[in-house]
């Protein structure tokens, strides 16, 4: 299979383990007409072509957004992942109560800050 399928599979495995789930538990969370344990195993090894419907079921079961799945930067540890998820959830709850212009301002400011950090790293 393709390198992309292997990346997606590895990312799903990393997130599943960070959530403390076995393949069987994840399969159960996908529902009665969900994804079997053996199918999850094949997907995580990058040995199965995955439909968008299956991918959506897995993302819903793992309670993740597409940007979390397709961010292929390595996570240092499971603890880092959990801590990041907690902080993002906290910020999300705060931003939900704000006016849309304020949310846009926060996002633009964050993007500018991260661009500055990335540019400094490139220069080193």
């Amino acid at each position: 299979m393709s390198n992309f399928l292997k990346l997606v599979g590895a990312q799903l495995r990393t997130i599943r383990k960070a959530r403390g789930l076995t393949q069987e538990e994840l399969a159960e969370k996908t529902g009665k007409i969900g994804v079997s344990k053996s199918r999850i195993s094949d997907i995580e090894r990058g040995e199965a072509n995955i439909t968008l419907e299956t991918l959506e079921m897995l993302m819903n079961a793992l309670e993740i957004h597409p940007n979390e799945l397709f961010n292929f930067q390595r996570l240092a540890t499971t603890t880092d992942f959990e801590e990041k998820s907690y902080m993002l959830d906290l910020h999300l709850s705060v931003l939900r109560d704000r006016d849309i212009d304020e949310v846009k301002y926060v996002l633009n400011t964050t993007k500018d800050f991260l661009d500055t950090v990335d540019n400094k790293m490139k220069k080193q």
Side-chain angles (χ1 to χ4, degrees):
M1 286 286 159
S2 73
N3 285 336
F4 181 70
L5 289 175
K6 289 180 182 178
L7 279 172
V8 170
Q11 189 77 337
L12 285 168
R13 180 178 47 249
T14 300
I15 294 168
R16 174 182 57 77
K17 287 183 175 183
R19 297 273 196 266
L21 297 170
T22 65
Q23 290 176 344
E24 188 172 340
E25 290 168 331
L26 178 57
E28 289 172 9
K29 286 186 74 153
T30 63
K32 288 183 180 180
I33 310 174
V35 185
S36 70
K37 177 185 178 277
S38 63
R39 179 93 169 121
I40 291 171
S41 177
D42 291 343
I43 292 167
E44 288 184 355
R45 290 191 319 273
E47 295 178 1
N49 203 357
I50 187 171
T51 66
L52 291 175
E53 184 178 13
T54 300
L55 188 59
E56 184 178 27
M57 278 192 274
L58 291 171
M59 289 176 13
N60 287 337
L62 290 167
E63 299 175 1
I64 60 171
H65 299 282
N67 59 337
E68 292 175 86
L69 178 63
F70 295 111
N71 180 356
F72 296 118
Q73 294 177 342
R74 284 212 180 275
L75 298 170
T77 65
T78 300
T79 304
D80 286 350
F81 180 80
E82 291 168 352
E83 188 175 344
K84 286 179 188 178
S85 291
Y86 173 75
M87 286 189 280
L88 289 171
D89 289 343
L90 180 63
H91 280 84
L92 180 61
S93 68
V94 169
L95 290 174
R96 270 196 187 113
D97 296 333
R98 305 305 297 199
D99 182 68
I100 187 68
D101 290 331
E102 293 173 334
V103 173
K104 287 178 182 178
Y105 177 80
V106 170
L107 290 175
N108 287 331
T109 304
T110 302
K111 184 185 177 308
D112 290 345
F113 171 77
L114 294 174
D115 287 345
T116 301
V117 170
D118 290 343
N119 287 332
K120 281 185 178 181
M121 295 298 288
K122 287 178 186 176
K123 290 179 182 179
Q124 291 180 350

